Amino acid sequence: MAVARSRGKPSPSQSAMLARLRAASDAAHEIDVSVRHDSHGYLLVNDCDCRHRRHGHGRCLHGVSGVRVAGGLVRLATGVEHVRRALNRYLDAGKGKEGDGEEDDELSVGDKVLIAADVVVGTYDVVVGGIDVVVGICDLTEYARGAVARLSRMYPDVGIPIRFRFRKKKRDCRPKRIRKAGIKEVRFEDLPEDMQNMIFSKLPLKETVRTSVLSSKWRDLWKNCPRLRFDGSTMSGEYMLERLVENVHVVMKQQNGQIIQAFEVKVEFQNRLVDHLNNWVGFAASSWTKNLALDLAPKEFRHRHDRYMFPIELLDGIAASRLQQIQLSFVSLKLPSQFSGFPQLKKLGLHLVQATGKDLQDLLSSCSNLEWLSIVRCNLNGDELKVDCPSYRLLYLHIAQCEISKIEMHASKLKTFVYKGAQLPVDPIRAQELEFADIVFDGHITFQYALTGLPVVLPNVQNLTMRASIPLQVEFPWLLTTPSTFYQLKHLKLLLSHSSGDMDNIVYLASFLKAAPLLEVLEIHFNIYGYADEGTQVLRSLPKCPYKNLKSIYIAGFKGVKGQAEFLVHAVENSPALEVLTIDTATKIGVRSIGSAGGHIARRCLSGIVSPKTKFHILDTSSWEYMD
């Protein structure tokens, strides 16, 4: 028969119950108060070998499992005998009175005492005996389990037909271990090849190659690694470049024509690398790679005009149809005349790339399945980027610090738009489901442009974050009237830097509230440099303009200057649905600062204005306390 082992240790609740029963048994045995009957009547016996053992008078066998079980059975029998004797005494007493003709049904006091004593002693013996039996059987079971375990370890090939199970066998829902017949443990080399490749793909290539020294069977496993990453930034020394090139060539020779999922190289570009880079790109193309990444950007790139001329012609044909991700840095692109494109490409990242507007336009037009596009620090020499083919699948668009005069794309499914640079060169994005837009303006832009340009480019954005340094020297009335509107904007986050000359004009930011009729959450971070506390000033009374959907306002960097106070009072007064209002006096952008009278000014200005239903918090860092 097969070896059947125990199901494991008892549960914590079972162990606790068994400990309580054992303690009760030991206590009862130590006291061992029992009422016994002999021919001379009832005797009180109080004696136990445990007590003798403590004083050196012998050895108690009560703790032995077999003795405990036997003693329990005897005590059970004694208890039953006492109960039976009490019942017989009760019946005999009744018959005796019946025979004497007595009409009184009451038992004598002596009979009652004897019957009660028999019942108490009998019940006590039954309970204690039952506990002894249960504890003894459990102890014997544990000893048997230990013996079987020891025998199984000593003689693993000998079957022991014993199974200890005290409950119904449940179906084992745990996943089965994968192993071949006759193998006790699962070894890495026994795993399916696709699982090995997945594990190797999570390791750096250097660590993957090191596994070849573990054993002779592991010597060639690393060659199946589907992701090849070579990072020259982690290497140092005079011959760093030569060692990197040698490592790449050695690994390429070991692949034996296998399909590579990803081929990635990170090294600072030098002219002597051109031939090697061409060979590597050709290897990636012949290996039908899905992910190609070349990061050749040097640490100091601002004054370098050389670029690696990327051999895009090597990726034409079958190799182009396999590619799904391309990330290029510090390269120059020039498309061949018969370029067929990348029909399966989903992700394209271009960083420090030199190309003409037409080449980049043709490249993007050939990627009909593109979902993710990033263009950072790319030089188009001021050309326009116009993609005629609609990008129906494009979900993410990132444009930062590019020399592009105009960008025109049709991305109706766009979800996220990230931009960093001067004024937006992008035509209106008509995506109906644009969820997030993150705009960072380099240099100064006018307040009028921020208020009128953004709604035109992003009319349907739902969450907008804008970081800029905006001078507020405007010549319009306090609330600018503009036809531009954010039709779906619900969350607006502004990170603004102002000079001391803009302090009185901060109230004009209320124009953003009017341009977003569905706005629910407003978050503003102020960074006012050159600020000097001018004390309490008289606030201007501004016209009413209800913001019916505004529920939350958070203002950081609140110093209590006149324009801030006026904007705060206006926003709170005209927000009937306001639920949460938080004022933080600490500056959290730019040069961080703490300490101002902003908290006290905010509380004084809003006295009697804030609704009782609004949760009003002031984070006053001047006194490092949280005020409600």
Side-chain angles (χ1 to χ4, degrees):
M1 297 178 64
V3 177
R5 298 185 180 182
S6 63
R7 289 292 179 180
K9 296 182 180 180
S11 64
S13 59
Q14 294 174 342
S15 300
M17 179 59 69
L18 183 60
R20 296 191 189 99
L21 293 177
R22 182 176 285 106
S25 174
D26 293 342
H29 182 70
E30 184 176 353
I31 299 173
D32 197 22
V33 177
S34 59
V35 179
R36 305 183 184 277
H37 181 268
D38 58 9
S39 57
H40 302 286
Y42 289 89
L43 300 175
L44 181 64
V45 180
N46 188 357
D47 193 15
C48 178
D49 289 340
C50 295
R51 191 172 294 104
H52 293 166
R53 179 180 59 182
R54 286 197 184 97
H55 295 88
H57 300 307
R59 183 174 181 271
C60 180
L61 299 178
H62 170 69
V64 180
S65 300
V67 175
R68 193 190 293 269
V69 174
L73 293 175
V74 173
R75 194 181 288 271
L76 277 173
T78 303
V80 172
E81 177 64 22
H82 276 288
V83 173
R84 185 189 63 78
R85 185 179 299 149
L87 180 61
N88 291 339
R89 187 182 298 279
Y90 175 78
L91 296 176
D92 292 343
K95 290 180 181 180
K97 290 188 177 185
E98 226 178 78
D100 296 338
E102 296 181 7
E103 297 181 356
D104 189 6
D105 294 336
E106 292 290 335
L107 298 176
S108 64
V109 175
D111 289 337
K112 291 181 179 180
V113 171
L114 294 177
I115 292 173
D118 277 332
V119 171
V120 171
V121 173
T123 304
Y124 175 83
D125 283 343
V126 169
V127 172
V128 175
I131 293 175
D132 285 342
V133 171
V134 172
V135 174
I137 292 176
C138 291
D139 288 342
L140 286 175
T141 303
E142 291 299 323
Y143 295 152
R145 283 178 175 173
V148 170
R150 286 191 293 272
L151 289 175
S152 299
R153 290 194 296 269
M154 295 172 60
Y155 307 101
D157 298 329
V158 179
I160 303 175
I162 300 176
R163 173 173 293 179
F164 297 97
R165 188 175 70 243
F166 297 98
R167 54 187 176 188
K168 186 178 180 180
K169 182 179 179 181
K170 295 183 178 180
R171 183 179 178 182
D172 192 358
C173 299
R174 294 173 296 180
K176 296 182 179 180
R177 301 179 65 184
I178 304 174
R179 66 179 185 180
K180 294 181 180 179
I183 300 178
K184 297 181 180 181
E185 297 295 337
V186 178
R187 294 177 295 185
F188 183 82
E189 55 266 27
D190 299 323
L191 296 175
E193 183 176 348
D194 56 344
M195 188 173 295
Q196 293 179 11
N197 294 340
M198 182 188 68
I199 295 174
F200 275 136
S201 67
K202 306 297 182 182
L203 296 175
L205 182 60
K206 185 177 180 180
E207 301 299 329
T208 305
V209 176
R210 282 180 174 178
T211 60
S212 61
V213 303
L214 296 178
S215 69
S216 58
K217 294 183 178 180
W218 284 59
R219 184 173 302 164
D220 298 325
L221 287 180
W222 70 271
K223 298 178 183 179
N224 298 327
C225 180
R227 302 181 68 89
L228 302 181
R229 300 187 186 95
F230 304 94
D231 190 353
S233 63
T234 61
M235 305 175 67
S236 60
E238 182 179 358
Y239 300 101
M240 179 272 296
L241 196 60
E242 288 75 9
R243 288 190 287 116
L244 175 66
V245 171
E246 182 181 357
N247 291 341
V248 176
H249 286 166
V250 168
V251 173
M252 288 167 51
K253 290 180 181 179
Q254 298 291 341
Q255 294 306 309
N256 299 323
Q258 297 185 19
I259 296 178
I260 303 300
Q261 298 292 331
F263 185 82
E264 304 174 11
V265 177
K266 179 179 176 62
V267 62
E268 292 190 15
F269 175 68
Q270 298 182 27
N271 290 326
R272 55 180 174 154
L273 281 176
V274 172
D275 292 337
H276 299 297
L277 290 171
N278 291 338
N279 292 335
W280 299 346
V281 174
F283 167 78
S286 62
S287 302
W288 292 1
T289 184
K290 293 182 179 180
N291 182 2
L292 175 62
L294 292 181
D295 185 0
L296 309 179
K299 294 181 180 179
E300 298 296 333
F301 57 83
R302 296 185 182 276
H303 301 291
R304 290 188 57 172
H305 303 288
D306 57 331
R307 294 288 191 277
Y308 168 60
M309 180 58 70
F310 184 74
I312 198 169
E313 63 276 1
L314 297 179
L315 300 177
D316 208 356
I318 298 178
S321 64
R322 293 276 301 177
L323 276 169
Q324 296 183 6
Q325 297 184 27
I326 297 179
Q327 293 179 291
L328 302 176
S329 178
F330 209 73
V331 305
S332 179
L333 285 179
K334 185 173 180 58
L335 299 186
S337 57
Q338 301 298 326
F339 180 67
S340 60
F342 303 107
Q344 300 300 323
L345 193 66
K346 296 182 179 180
K347 183 175 182 178
L348 176 61
L350 303 176
H351 179 230
L352 292 169
V353 172
Q354 289 182 348
T356 63
K358 185 179 184 307
D359 284 337
L360 188 55
Q361 173 183 333
D362 294 341
L363 175 62
L364 297 179
S365 298
S366 68
C367 305
S368 56
N369 289 310
L370 196 63
E371 298 177 357
W372 192 96
L373 175 61
S374 176
I375 306 176
V376 179
R377 295 183 181 274
C378 292
N379 184 7
L380 271 64
N381 298 319
D383 289 349
E384 293 185 359
L385 177 59
K386 184 177 181 180
V387 183
D388 297 327
C389 180
S391 304
Y392 293 117
R393 296 181 180 271
L394 189 62
L395 303 176
Y396 178 91
L397 177 60
H398 179 202
I399 300 174
Q401 298 176 327
C402 294
E403 297 181 15
I404 303 176
S405 59
K406 184 178 180 181
I407 300 176
E408 182 178 342
M409 299 182 67
H410 303 280
S412 57
K413 302 287 186 172
L414 193 65
K415 299 286 187 182
T416 303
F417 176 63
V418 180
Y419 176 81
K420 182 177 182 180
Q423 295 186 3
L424 282 167
V426 184
D427 272 5
I429 299 178
R430 300 298 181 183
Q432 298 297 322
E433 300 178 359
L434 184 59
E435 296 180 359
F436 301 97
D438 191 344
I439 310 297
V440 179
F441 288 114
D442 285 342
H444 293 280
I445 63 169
T446 64
F447 178 72
Q448 290 87 339
Y449 173 78
L451 184 61
T452 59
L454 286 179
V456 172
V457 178
L458 308 168
N460 299 314
V461 65
Q462 300 176 22
N463 299 271
L464 173 62
T465 298
M466 184 187 73
R467 180 167 186 162
S469 177
I470 303 178
L472 296 176
Q473 303 296 335
V474 294
E475 299 177 357
F476 293 88
W478 76 272
L479 191 60
L480 294 176
T481 58
T482 173
S484 303
T485 304
F486 296 103
Y487 295 105
Q488 299 185 34
L489 185 60
K490 295 183 178 180
H491 188 146
L492 176 61
K493 182 177 181 180
L494 301 176
L495 299 94
L496 306 175
S497 297
H498 301 290
S499 65
S500 57
D502 296 327
M503 292 189 297
D504 290 346
N505 295 326
I506 291 177
V507 67
Y508 287 118
L509 294 177
S511 302
F512 280 100
L513 302 181
K514 185 177 181 180
L518 300 182
L519 189 65
E520 296 180 359
V521 179
L522 175 64
E523 183 177 347
I524 302 180
H525 293 257
F526 287 107
N527 179 22
I528 303 177
Y529 47 90
Y531 157 74
D533 192 355
E534 299 180 358
T536 305
Q537 301 183 42
V538 178
L539 302 183
R540 290 170 290 183
S541 179
L542 305 178
K544 297 289 184 180
C545 185
Y547 312 116
K548 298 180 181 180
N549 297 295
L550 191 56
K551 298 179 180 179
S552 175
I553 298 177
Y554 173 84
I555 299 178
F558 188 86
K559 304 303 180 184
V561 299
K562 182 178 179 180
Q564 285 183 324
E566 290 173 344
F567 172 80
L568 177 62
V569 172
H570 171 77
V572 173
E573 281 183 334
N574 292 274
S575 303
L578 190 62
E579 297 176 357
V580 180
L581 173 61
T582 304
I583 307 298
D584 191 347
T585 61
T587 301
K588 298 187 176 181
I589 60 173
V591 180
R592 302 195 175 191
S593 63
I594 61 174
S596 72
H600 300 286
I601 294 176
R603 183 175 295 278
R604 183 173 64 252
C605 293
L606 297 177
S607 177
I609 298 178
V610 181
S611 171
K613 298 181 180 179
T614 302
K615 297 180 180 179
F616 181 28
H617 311 298
I618 296 180
L619 307 179
D620 191 354
T621 54
S622 62
S623 56
W624 291 101
E625 63 182 19
Y626 179 86
M627 298 188 296
D628 248 343

